[in-house]
Amino acid sequence: MDTTVGLRERKKAETRQAVHEAALRLVVEHGLDAVTVEAIADAANISRRTFSNYFSGKEDALLYGEEQRIRRLVEQVRSQPAGLTAWQALRLSVQELYHQMGEPEREWALRTRLAKRHPSILARQLASLAALERDLADAIAERESTVPPRVMAAAVLVALRLASHKWTEEDQARTLLDVVEETLTQMAQPFA
């Protein structure tokens, strides 16, 4: 029974990832406005109905990778040793996640640029970040901090978004981790 559930969940995750990659590839090649949900479904070799089982629109499919990274960040924070402050757990989690995932690919930078140019992507991104902000706040709520968890979570997510924008504006001249670390250090004083 557990094997079936595990296999089913793994196949769902693979389908989500395939749809995300198809959406990203098509949007990079043709532009957001020229890409339809049907085109994404065709490129991922699934039906329109199956697409709707996974994503509510092309923006959701496009932003799936970013949401997964933040979910992994939340999991990293939860797995940090109990003796760390909220800020220490967040900083260490960002570093560990970067080392696990490596430098983002070119497409990640392109998606970041798209979000800045397309209101529909930016709106969807901000809505998703609001939900993930609550999860991140819950993950740090039990840790010592002079700053309320929701404030810290929101600030960190904004810093990560700003760092990714700066990284793309610099045409990836430095590693994303270098830009993230610089941005987090700039905001660290109130949280340390």
Side-chain angles (χ1 to χ4, degrees):
M1 180 88 166
D2 289 342
T3 305
T4 305
V5 173
L7 178 61
R8 185 179 311 130
E9 291 306 313
R10 194 167 55 248
K11 288 198 174 274
K12 285 180 180 181
E14 289 170 359
T15 300
R16 279 187 190 91
Q17 186 63 31
V19 173
H20 164 66
E21 290 172 6
L24 189 55
R25 186 181 70 252
L26 290 172
V27 168
V28 168
E29 290 173 4
H30 305 289
L32 180 68
D33 296 331
V35 175
T36 63
V37 167
E38 289 77 13
I40 295 169
D42 288 346
N45 202 26
I46 60 170
S47 70
R48 169 66 171 91
R49 184 175 179 181
T50 300
F51 178 97
S52 297
N53 290 337
Y54 290 95
F55 299 105
S56 63
K58 62 186 175 183
E59 293 83 3
D60 287 340
L62 194 61
L63 294 171
Y64 174 73
E66 178 180 0
E67 291 172 3
Q68 289 304 105
R69 271 187 281 288
I70 295 172
R71 287 186 200 292
R72 286 181 69 180
L73 176 62
V74 170
E75 291 170 14
Q76 286 290 119
V77 169
R78 286 190 172 120
S79 71
Q80 294 302 324
L84 297 178
T85 66
W87 184 246
Q88 291 168 334
L90 281 164
R91 291 292 297 259
L92 186 57
S93 295
V94 166
Q95 292 167 357
E96 288 176 357
L97 187 61
Y98 178 85
H99 291 298
Q100 288 173 5
M101 300 185 82
E103 188 72 7
E105 297 177 4
R106 178 179 169 269
E107 287 77 16
W108 194 81
L110 294 172
R111 188 189 65 242
T112 301
R113 287 187 183 115
L114 283 170
K116 290 188 339 187
R117 287 196 317 254
H118 291 281
S120 64
I121 295 176
L122 183 58
R124 178 60 191 94
Q125 183 183 49
L126 292 175
S128 172
L129 287 175
L132 292 167
E133 175 188 303
R134 285 188 296 275
D135 293 342
L136 187 55
D138 289 345
I140 62 175
E142 300 299 317
R143 296 179 181 275
E144 179 186 330
S145 178
T146 58
V147 178
R150 288 288 298 265
V151 173
M152 185 179 291
V156 167
L157 291 177
V158 167
L160 294 177
R161 186 172 54 83
L162 291 173
S164 69
H165 286 250
K166 184 175 184 177
W167 179 69
T168 60
E169 289 165 1
E170 293 177 353
D171 288 325
Q172 302 103 39
R174 300 183 285 161
T175 69
L176 178 59
L177 182 61
D178 288 342
V179 179
V180 167
E181 286 292 324
E182 175 185 84
T183 305
L184 291 175
T185 298
Q186 290 169 348
M187 67 173 281
Q189 205 56 24
F191 301 128

